[in-house]
């Protein structure tokens, strides 16, 4: 059987008395959003050659640099200034996190033309667009994307220090074709914030929604009530107008953590405009019979009309943790 390419868009303590705190009626949004996240420390995303050689020391892509000589850092400017301040004879002590474990290392800099260089590519933040899935009117918790945000070079999840979601408008669509998923292009209005970001998990990003909530509420559908057949997704493909588009649910899997709802886009307008699922649709709510059941999370690369979604109850439970 040919393997299909799929694109993203611990110890459990059982407490029989615990009750989910999320509301039974929520906003099923579909609104396009801009996203910006600052990471905890600086993520190492690559290495460049200095005088023909790489300077990795004991670092790997995906590691975080937390501190220099015990002084915590969170920006690239702080990395540069503190290395200049604390390095001795081309060496400096870094506190790093590797595979979830924190340790100190002595990092050897490289002198080139009288300047000490690290040879590191690092990131202190990441930004992009996605779709707002839901807002809980009682707790003001929101969920978006339905999947984690991963740094593309290291293929590692971004650990959130802080962040925000904000207004964005879809300016154009690069259409999807089989083997080549397209994308939404958008204008950012970072000064118009909708909420903060405090979690980046395999089930999406979460935080507190800070704007007024005036949208119509819809009932949260139970996974056992979801049926094969016709359903809808809510998303934006032009400006900030949220519209509903028809899909066909072909399979329901209750035994997996993220790929629960298999579907195919059947809406002619959406296919004409986008060719199929495009990047930026992640988080688009999935509705059936007036209830919200899930969110779009993945596109099948070889057949961009097909995709997967996660149960909304999974996202709601994640948001409450």
């Amino acid at each position: 059987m040919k393997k299909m390419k799929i694109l993203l868009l611990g110890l459990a303590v059982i407490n029989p008395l615990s009750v989910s705190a999320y509301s039974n009626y929520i906003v099923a949004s579909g609104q396009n959003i801009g996203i910006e996240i600052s990471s905890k420390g600086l993520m190492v995303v690559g290495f460049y050659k200095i005088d023909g050689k790489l300077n990795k020391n004991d670092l790997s892509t995906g590691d975080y640099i937390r501190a220099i000589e015990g002084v915590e850092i969170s920006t690239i400017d702080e990395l540069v200034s503190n290395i200049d301040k604390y390095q001795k004879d081309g060496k400096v002590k870094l506190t790093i996190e590797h595979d979830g474990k924190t340790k100190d290392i002595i990092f050897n800099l490289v002198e080139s033309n009288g300047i000490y260089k690290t040879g590191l590519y690092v990131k202190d933040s990441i930004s992009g667009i996605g779709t707002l899935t839901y807002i809980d009117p009682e707790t003001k918790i929101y969920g978006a994307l339905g999947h984690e945000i991963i740094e593309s070079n290291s293929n590692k999840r971004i650990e959130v220090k802080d962040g925000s979601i904000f207004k964005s408008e879809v300016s154009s669509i690069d259409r999807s074709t089989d083997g080549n998923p397209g994308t939404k292009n958008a204008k950012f209005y970072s000064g118009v914030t909708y909420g903060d970001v405090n979690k980046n998990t395999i089930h999406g990003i979460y935080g507190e929604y800070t704007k007024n909530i005036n949208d119509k509420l819809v009932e949260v559908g139970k996974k056992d009530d979801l049926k094969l057949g016709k359903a809808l997704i809510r998303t934006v493909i032009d400006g900030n107008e949220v519209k509903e588009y028809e899909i066909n649910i072909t399979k329901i899997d209750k035994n997996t953590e993220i790929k629960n709802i298999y579907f195919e886009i059947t809406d002619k307008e959406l296919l004409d405009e986008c060719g199929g699922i495009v990047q930026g649709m992640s988080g688009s709510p999935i509705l059936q019979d007036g209830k919200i059941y899930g969110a779009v999370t993945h596109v099948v690369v070889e057949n961009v009309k097909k995709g997967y979604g996660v149960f909304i109850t999974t996202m709601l439970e994640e948001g409450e943790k």
Side-chain angles (χ1 to χ4, degrees):
M1 180 180 292
K2 183 179 178 182
K3 185 177 180 180
M4 293 188 297
K5 293 181 182 178
I6 308 299
L7 178 66
L8 280 177
L9 300 173
L11 181 66
V13 179
I14 299 174
N15 181 358
L17 298 179
S18 63
V19 178
S20 296
Y22 61 77
S23 302
N24 291 324
Y25 288 83
I26 60 175
V27 174
S29 177
Q31 183 62 60
N32 200 75
I33 53 171
I35 303 164
E36 185 168 22
I37 293 177
S38 297
S39 64
K40 291 182 179 179
L42 301 179
M43 177 184 275
V44 178
V45 299
F47 305 89
Y48 63 89
K49 290 183 178 180
I50 307 173
D51 299 332
K53 295 182 180 180
L54 295 176
N55 188 44
K56 292 187 175 183
N57 286 253
D58 292 326
L59 291 174
S60 303
T61 55
D63 288 350
Y64 282 90
I65 302 174
R66 302 293 195 195
I68 297 174
E69 296 291 342
V71 178
E72 292 186 0
I73 61 170
S74 58
T75 68
I76 294 173
D77 287 343
E78 289 174 347
L79 172 72
V80 173
S81 62
N82 281 287
I83 283 179
D84 288 343
K85 180 178 181 180
Y86 291 111
Q87 70 87 14
K88 295 179 181 178
D89 300 321
K91 297 182 179 182
V92 67
K93 183 175 74 173
L94 303 182
T95 302
I96 68 167
E97 182 179 317
H98 176 79
D99 289 341
K101 297 181 179 179
T102 302
K103 63 179 180 179
D104 291 334
I105 65 170
I106 301 300
F107 187 86
N108 297 293
L109 304 164
V110 177
E111 185 179 4
S112 178
N113 298 322
I115 300 174
Y116 282 110
K117 299 181 178 181
T118 64
L120 304 176
Y121 290 118
V122 296
K123 280 187 178 180
D124 56 12
S125 64
I126 194 167
S127 60
I129 63 170
T131 302
L132 180 63
T133 307
Y134 76 88
I135 310 163
D136 189 317
E138 298 298 325
T139 64
K140 302 298 191 295
I141 294 171
Y142 77 83
L145 297 185
H147 62 67
E148 61 198 340
I149 294 178
I150 292 176
E151 197 286 316
S152 58
N153 295 291
S154 63
N155 203 34
K156 298 286 187 178
R157 185 191 310 170
I158 297 290
E159 293 187 35
V160 176
K161 176 189 176 186
D162 53 48
S164 64
I165 59 171
F166 51 88
K167 179 181 177 180
S168 70
E169 294 182 351
V170 177
S171 55
S172 64
I173 299 287
D174 294 333
R175 295 179 80 257
S176 286
T177 57
D178 290 346
N180 185 29
T183 187
K184 294 183 182 182
N185 302 307
K187 297 178 182 178
F188 283 177
Y189 300 88
S190 57
V192 185
T193 57
Y194 296 152
D196 60 16
V197 181
N198 56 43
K199 284 199 298 185
N200 176 28
T201 80
I202 63 170
H203 299 128
I205 62 169
Y206 300 85
E208 181 183 1
Y209 193 80
T210 55
K211 286 286 190 181
N212 291 331
I213 302 172
N214 300 313
D215 304 72
K216 181 180 178 181
L217 304 183
V218 301
E219 187 176 354
V220 174
K222 298 177 181 178
K223 62 182 72 174
D224 289 341
D225 293 335
L226 183 63
K227 304 183 294 290
L228 300 180
K230 182 180 175 180
L232 300 168
I233 64 169
R234 284 183 180 173
T235 199
V236 175
I237 62 173
D238 183 35
N240 56 15
E241 182 184 8
V242 178
K243 295 180 69 175
E244 293 184 345
Y245 301 95
E246 290 188 4
I247 63 172
N248 181 53
I249 296 175
T250 58
K251 180 181 175 181
I252 301 167
D253 189 344
K254 302 173 187 176
N255 299 314
T256 187
E257 193 167 11
I258 52 176
K259 296 175 186 174
N260 306 123
I261 304 169
Y262 293 56
F263 69 90
E264 181 174 11
I265 293 177
T266 55
D267 192 281
K268 185 178 185 303
E269 180 184 355
L270 190 58
L271 291 173
D272 287 346
E273 294 294 327
C274 299
I277 302 166
V278 297
Q279 296 175 76
M281 285 183 182
S282 294
S284 299
I286 298 173
L287 299 100
Q288 187 179 73
D289 298 330
K291 299 178 182 180
I292 179 171
Y293 282 95
V296 175
T297 58
H298 298 75
V299 57
V300 178
V301 175
E302 288 84 357
N303 185 344
V304 293
K305 296 178 184 179
K306 295 184 177 181
Y308 302 91
V310 64
F311 287 132
I312 191 62
T313 48
T314 299
M315 290 188 68
L316 288 163
E317 289 165 2
E318 185 72 71
E320 295 291 335
K321 291 180 181 177

